């Protein structure tokens, strides 16, 4: 199948804050709005942080304090793989008799991929397997902390000014009768006499906090820089001893130039996130909290609700000549789905990429419901849908193959693009179900959805 490993050849249009064309496998479907959603028109919420190596779970506040890094796991500074702790025996003098030695266990970090070890940069071995590894100190730590404190104080002052302006605007708009009725006039008079406004009193710094102004020294530009060493242009370069650009950028606080200065870095944390529809604020995707689980509590992916179009076979396309293309249509739901295809109109604002005229079948296509057990049930009787052989090429379970006719309109080297509309019925099980008459079981009301689909059929034949 031509589009099995190339999902970007068939894209669906998402009409969100901006129009996005994306494969159906990368989209979500909101059952409450009955609309497609992409990653750019949903709200992203962080559920939890966890380490991908030791799977330690931690809340967002703790992850922020640890700078989104695991305290126990390290990455190799050379190849960025996870480092493992290795044990070895080293001779150590006895405390009673220093002239005698005994074997003692020591632990060091080693990479199983590039064979880098913590001994290569002179890190001392540890007597315990976890924690306490030597880390280099950043010479600019004090300067960075001073800048952070200064800008935190600046942000606090700006917040005070914004809140003070909001309160002043609210007091001006307060009606006189409203203030007299609820006795607010006397309160305001007391506060004008010198007492601070209660709401503004909470905007000051916390009690006991140092309220002195923090000042920073501006950075000074240097006119003189250190000269290059004399043997800079004559000394032979050994590439294994020089760090790559990626290795330097992964350690921006040091940017080591030599491989002997590479130190292991704490492993970055990963996060589990939820996706929420911005229109109705319902969850579209919510994973389980446990980091060892890959399951989802809620996962409204579009391929589970919307019929999927795929390209099965493409003939040789020629300019201004009619060709017959075989497509497949799959029904992901358990109900029988009715699908109607139509070509885009001439002044359709969504049809901006089409380079060919398409002739779609006028008859309604009926898709059987998805039944996982039907493939293994040999005694099951096939349903008779009375398909037109000129339209439907084959039918198997919940999938059919059908023909469309394509006439390329532009003689270019670019791929032939075809646009069409798909209209199908959908029974929204998330919506409230109306009770039926005569005591029958309530059924979900069917609604009709329309999607704009674009197919990239490839270049013209020579």
């Amino acid at each position: 199948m031509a589009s099995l490993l190339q999902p970007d050849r068939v894209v669906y249009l998402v009409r969100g804050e901006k129009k996005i064309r994306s494969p159906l496998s990368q989209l979500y479907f909101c059952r409450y709005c009955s609309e497609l959603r992409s990653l750019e028109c949903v709200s992203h919420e962080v559920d939890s942080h966890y380490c991908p190596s030791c799977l330690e779970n931690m809340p967002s506040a703790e992850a922020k304090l640890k700078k989104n890094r695991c305290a126990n796991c390290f990455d190799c500074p050379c190849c960025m793989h996870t480092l493992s702790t290795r044990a070895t025996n080293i001779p150590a003098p006895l405390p009673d008799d220093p002239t005698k030695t005994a074997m003692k266990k020591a632990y060091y970090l080693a990479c199983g991929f590039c064979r880098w070890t913590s001994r290569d940069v002179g890190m001392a071995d540890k007597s315990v397997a976890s924690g306490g590894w030597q880390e280099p100190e950043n010479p600019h730590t004090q300067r960075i902390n001073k800048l952070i404190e200064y800008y935190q104080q600046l942000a606090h002052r700006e917040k005070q000014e914004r809140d003070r302006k909001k309160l002043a605007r609210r007091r001006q708009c307060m009606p006189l009768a409203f203030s007299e009725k609820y006795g607010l006039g006397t309160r305001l008079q007391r506060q004008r006499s010198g007492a601070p406004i209660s709401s503004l009193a909470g905007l000051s710094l916390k009690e006991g906090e140092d309220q002195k102004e923090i000042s920073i020294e501006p950075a000074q530009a240097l006119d003189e820089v250190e000269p290059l060493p004399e043997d800079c242009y004559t000394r032979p370069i050994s590439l294994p001893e020089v760090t790559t650009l990626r290795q330097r950028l992964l350690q921006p606080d040091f940017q080591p130039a030599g491989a002997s200065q590479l130190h292991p870095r704490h492993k970055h944390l990963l996060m589990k996130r939820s996706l929420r529809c911005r229109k109705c604020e319902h969850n579209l995707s919510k994973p389980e909290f446990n980091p060892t689980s890959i399951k989802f509590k809620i996962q409204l992916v579009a391929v589970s609700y919307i019929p999927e179009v795929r390209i099965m076979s493409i003939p040789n396309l020629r300019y201004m000549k009619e060709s017959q293309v075989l497509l497949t249509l799959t029904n992901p739901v358990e109900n029988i789905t009715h699908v109607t295809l139509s070509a885009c109109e001439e002044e359709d604002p969504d049809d901006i990429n089409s380079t060919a005229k398409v002739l779609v079948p006028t008859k309604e296509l009926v898709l059987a419901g998805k039944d996982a057990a039907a493939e293994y049930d040999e005694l099951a009787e096939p349903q008779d849908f009375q398909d037109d052989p000129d339209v439907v090429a084959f039918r198997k379970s919940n999938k059919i193959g059908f023909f469309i006719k394509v006439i390329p309109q532009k003689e270019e080297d670019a791929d032939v693009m075809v646009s069409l509309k798909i209209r199908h019925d959908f029974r929204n099980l998330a919506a409230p179900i109306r009770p039926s008459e005569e005591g029958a079981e309530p059924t979900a009301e069917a609604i009709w959805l329309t999607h704009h689909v674009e197919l990239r059929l490839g270049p013209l034949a020579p």
Side-chain angles (χ1 to χ4, degrees), residues 112-128:
F113 187 78
C114 69
R115 304 301 178 185
W116 182 91
T117 64
S118 57
R119 296 177 173 180
D120 296 344
V121 293
M123 291 179 60
D125 297 342
K126 295 296 178 183
S127 58
V128 292

Side-chain angles (χ1 to χ4, degrees), residues 185-199:
T186 56
R187 279 186 59 192
L188 295 176
Q189 287 178 0
R190 288 179 195 167
Q191 291 171 355
R192 287 195 193 100
S193 62
I197 301 176
S198 59
S199 59

